[in-house]
């Protein structure tokens, strides 16, 4: 009986209205890119996460607008952010990124937009039937859900740190390579110049001597 109850509770919690999209996109220099999410009813929760994975100083401008073009969130030169909003207006919400501060560098951004309804517990079929078990199981499920969300955020954090570290290492390797190349060319040029100076120093032009 307990197993059946657990199964029914899991099935009841699964169809919660959750719409999520995790994407990675590249934003060129001087480009503005917007993404949209629909909210079906007022009071729904909107989760918005983003992190700049590579490009320049790992920063980006962003803003979030409701269906009435009202700015709910905005930021300049932000590296990452994790926000939760309450949608008070039904309609289409815009999540925009702008790479206006960079004239040459492309930015790679990892972001996640989630629209989730407030969970509502339904009463049992009969008064008092399985109330204690249902309440305990629901609390455990919500607690596990919170722990999983924390693990997910931690994974995103380390993923971002790894990408940024790799980008920095790649950029440093490129700088070291070109510096070494210029240094070698400078040494070769200096050697050729020294040979030429020595050759002209010991060579007399315009005069001839007889012994």
């Amino acid at each position: 009986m307990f197993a059946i109850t657990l199964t029914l509770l899991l099935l009841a919690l699964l169809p919660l209205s959750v719409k999520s999209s995790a994407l990675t996109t590249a934003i060129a220099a001087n480009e503005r890119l917007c993404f949209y999410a629909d909210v079906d009813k007022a009071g729904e929760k909107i989760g918005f996460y983003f992190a700049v994975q590579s490009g320049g100083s790992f920063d980006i401008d962003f803003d979030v607008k409701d269906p009435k073009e009202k700015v709910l969130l905005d930021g300049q030169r932000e590296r990452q952010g994790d926000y939760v909003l309450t949608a008070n207006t039904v309609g289409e919400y815009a999540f925009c990124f702008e790479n206006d501060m960079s004239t040459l560098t492309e930015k790679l951004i990892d972001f996640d937009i989630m629209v989730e309804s407030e969970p509502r517990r339904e009463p049992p079929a009969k008064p008092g039937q399985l109330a204690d078990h249902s309440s305990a199981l629901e609390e455990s499920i919500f607690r596990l859900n919170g722990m999983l969300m924390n693990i997910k955020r931690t994974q995103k954090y380390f993923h971002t740190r790894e990408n940024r570290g790799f980008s920095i290492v790649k950029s440093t390797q490129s700088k070291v390579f070109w510096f070494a190349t210029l240094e070698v060319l400078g040494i070769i040029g200096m050697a050729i110049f020294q040979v030429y100076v020595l050759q002209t120093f010991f060579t007399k032009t315009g005069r001839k001597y007889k012994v």
Side-chain angles (χ1 to χ4, degrees):
M1 189 64 180
F2 182 77
I4 297 176
T5 305
L6 177 60
T7 304
L8 291 175
L9 282 173
L10 291 174
L11 292 176
L13 290 172
L14 283 177
L16 291 175
S17 178
V18 178
K19 295 172 285 184
S20 177
S21 58
L23 299 172
T24 300
T25 184
I27 302 180
N30 297 319
E31 182 182 11
R32 179 180 174 86
L33 196 59
C34 294
F35 300 87
Y36 302 90
D38 291 324
V39 174
D40 299 329
K41 57 184 177 180
E44 290 187 340
K45 298 294 183 181
I46 301 177
F48 176 50
Y49 166 84
F50 74 91
V52 182
Q53 304 294 330
S54 64
S57 300
F58 306 101
D59 55 358
I60 197 74
D61 297 342
F62 77 96
D63 59 76
V64 180
K65 295 181 179 180
D66 66 3
K68 297 180 180 179
E69 296 295 324
K70 179 183 178 182
V71 178
L72 303 178
L73 281 175
D74 64 341
Q76 294 182 347
R77 298 183 180 275
E78 298 287 342
R79 291 192 169 192
Q80 65 184 64
D82 192 357
Y83 307 96
V84 177
L85 306 172
T86 300
N88 297 320
T89 306
V90 177
E92 192 175 61
Y93 285 72
F95 303 82
C96 299
F97 299 100
E98 189 170 4
N99 191 17
D100 191 35
M101 83 287 290
S102 178
T103 57
L104 297 174
T105 308
E106 181 183 74
K107 304 291 179 68
L108 184 66
I109 298 178
D110 181 18
F111 68 96
D112 187 3
I113 300 173
M114 182 177 64
V115 180
E116 182 178 6
S117 298
E118 287 285 355
R120 295 180 177 84
R121 298 180 182 178
E122 297 182 357
K126 295 181 181 180
Q129 182 179 9
L130 301 177
D132 296 334
H133 293 294
S134 301
S135 178
L137 287 173
E138 287 179 356
E139 292 296 334
S140 299
I141 292 173
F142 287 125
R143 193 181 304 112
L144 288 174
N145 181 62
M147 295 172 63
L148 290 174
M149 292 300 295
N150 290 332
I151 293 174
K152 183 179 179 181
R153 290 189 180 94
T154 303
Q155 288 179 336
K156 288 181 178 179
Y157 170 77
F158 284 112
H159 177 68
T160 301
R161 290 291 299 271
E162 180 184 4
N163 286 340
R164 289 178 181 176
F166 178 76
S167 179
I168 293 173
V169 170
K170 188 176 180 180
S171 176
T172 304
Q173 286 179 343
S174 177
K175 292 177 181 178
V176 170
F177 170 78
W178 288 112
F179 179 79
T181 302
L182 291 176
E183 189 176 18
V184 170
L185 292 176
I187 293 173
I188 294 175
M190 184 62 69
I192 295 174
F193 179 73
Q194 288 177 349
V195 171
Y196 174 76
V197 170
L198 291 174
Q199 184 178 6
T200 55
F201 182 76
F202 288 104
T203 301
K204 301 295 184 178
T205 59
R207 295 182 181 181
K208 293 183 179 180
Y209 299 92
K210 290 184 179 181
V211 178

